[in-house]
Amino acid sequence: MSTVHDILILGSGAAGYTAAIYAGRANRKPVVICGIQHGGQLTITTEVENYPGFGEPIMGPELMERMKQQAIRSGATLVEDLTQVERVDFARRPFRVWTDDGREWQARVVIVATGASAKWIGLPNEQHFMGHGVSACATCDGPFYKGRRVVVVGGGDTAMEEATYLAQLTSEVVVVHRRDTLRASKAMQDRAMRNPKIRFVWDSEVIDVNGAESPTKVTGVKIRHLKTGAVSELPTDALFVAIGHQPNTGFLAGALTTDERGYVRVTPGSTRTNVPGVFAAGDVADPVFRQAVTAAGMGCMAAIEAEHRLQHEAHLAETGAHTG
Ligand code: NAP
């Protein structure tokens, strides 16, 4: 029989570590299953200028390392052996979680903070230039390209939002879209199209990133016109991939209610899911804001709600009533 933990946290991004800090300080000895990408999406960005509290920009990986150390100091145990959660059983108590190394974990409360992953195009050089000109987050990395030229790929609301945001900072934004009509809402299309700094390249796909070394930087993208097949080089200082995000919820396999895009549904103003005792925080439950600071805020909320839940269950156990 494995140990039944009070609080099991799935994921080690800003939401997971913040939940761990709060739960640790409440003396719940939380266990964090860190997954494969320890520290989450912030570890694939460079300088973070919008996380409050740092006069000088802090590097994303360093910010996450500090959160991790704070979680450990608060009493959290981190499972850092690159195991991932494979499946869960939230239908029975205690809740059960299985990792892909065959281990079973049991807990009275689970906080799902597995984040979301940007969709990437899959270009040969995309990973190589990530953090050096290739990005999936204009809010995070746009300010590094003030007065420079950038390319945005995508035709949905995210791409229009990123392009409009980047146009405030950069000298030119070129949106490369694979069709000749946008998927984005009319209002967001209109706003982008009216912007004199935004130019559209239609019916085209980016097929690779070109760049230089020492320092590693992007110098252009190679694009192919899908109707003529013509390949050309578009000079740019950065490539922003804005073809959508996907929440990391595959392992849930229906154990929690999700929306049509796979994000865990939580009660508005709360991190409660449809299963009492299971909470969701950060990008896995947030299709709107997706910021480090909002993820951290949700992690805090989840830990506080988890604490209330444990106290409620303890009270019910004392009085002999049933949990629900
Ligand atoms: P999306 O609506 O799925 O659009 C993705 C875009 O990327 C599409 O234009 C698609 O092209 C293109 N694309 C997909 N895969 C591609 C690939 N491999 N190579 C090149 N292009 C590719 O995703 P989203 O824009 O992230 O929006 C997701 C949801 O969030 C939507 O419901 C949206 O309304 C919502 N959202 C709302 C707001 C807001 O209201 N402020 C902001 C952001 C997002 P095709 O069009 O050819 O399929």
Side-chain angles (χ1 to χ4, degrees), residues 7-12 15-21 23 30-34 76 85 109-113 303:
I7 301 180
L8 187 63
I9 298 168
L10 314 183
S12 60
Y17 281 152
T18 306
I21 292 164
V31 173
V32 184
I33 299 179
C34 293
V85 176
V109 163
V110 175
I111 297 175
V112 178

Side-chain angles (χ1 to χ4, degrees), residues 112-315:
V112 178
T114 44
S117 305
K119 292 185 194 161
W120 297 102
I121 308 172
L123 308 171
N125 276 322
E126 196 170 39
Q127 298 289 322
H128 178 68
F129 289 108
M130 206 174 281
H132 301 281
V134 172
S135 169
C137 177
T139 332
C140 318
D141 297 324
F144 302 120
Y145 300 96
K146 277 185 185 141
R148 319 258 294 275
R149 298 163 303 183
V150 299
V151 166
V152 173
V153 177
D157 280 336
T158 299
M160 294 311 104
E161 198 168 61
E162 304 270 89
T164 305
Y165 174 78
L166 288 165
Q168 296 172 47
L169 306 168
T170 61
S171 60
E172 184 192 46
V173 180
V174 180
V175 176
V176 178
H177 183 38
R178 62 186 179 184
R179 294 184 296 127
D180 63 358
T181 50
L182 296 169
R183 179 179 296 277
S185 62
K186 179 91 173 57
M188 293 182 75
Q189 287 192 29
D190 288 349
R191 195 180 318 150
M193 287 189 172
R194 272 199 314 267
N195 193 316
K197 279 199 191 164
I198 302 177
R199 177 164 75 84
F200 288 82
V201 173
W202 303 108
D203 294 316
S204 297
E205 61 178 359
V206 172
I207 55 173
D208 209 356
V209 188
N210 296 332
E213 302 299 332
S214 312
T216 306
K217 63 174 183 181
V218 168
T219 56
V221 289
K222 198 184 276 186
I223 56 175
R224 176 166 49 215
H225 194 276
L226 290 164
K227 289 189 173 155
T228 64
V231 172
S232 58
E233 159 101 15
L234 183 61
T236 186
D237 299 303
L239 170 67
F240 286 87
V241 178
I243 61 172
H245 278 78
Q246 51 201 13
N248 300 320
T249 47
F251 67 93
L252 290 173
L256 296 177
T257 302
T258 54
D259 71 9
E260 60 288 344
R261 286 176 284 160
Y263 289 91
V264 177
R265 274 196 205 280
V266 290
T267 305
S270 154
T271 60
R272 289 197 302 277
T273 68
N274 63 306
V275 176
V278 179
F279 302 89
D283 287 14
V284 77
D286 173 15
V288 180
F289 302 108
R290 299 195 299 239
Q291 300 297 302
V293 66
T294 50
M298 286 181 82
C300 158
M301 289 163 64
I304 291 173
E305 291 187 293
E307 179 60 27
H308 290 165
R309 176 77 201 173
L310 288 166
Q311 287 176 12
H312 173 67
E313 286 188 3
H315 173 72

Side-chain angles (χ1 to χ4, degrees), residues 96-107:
R96 286 177 169 74
V97 168
W98 288 269
T99 41
D100 57 9
D101 56 356
R103 272 186 291 176
E104 179 188 305
W105 305 80
Q106 298 190 10

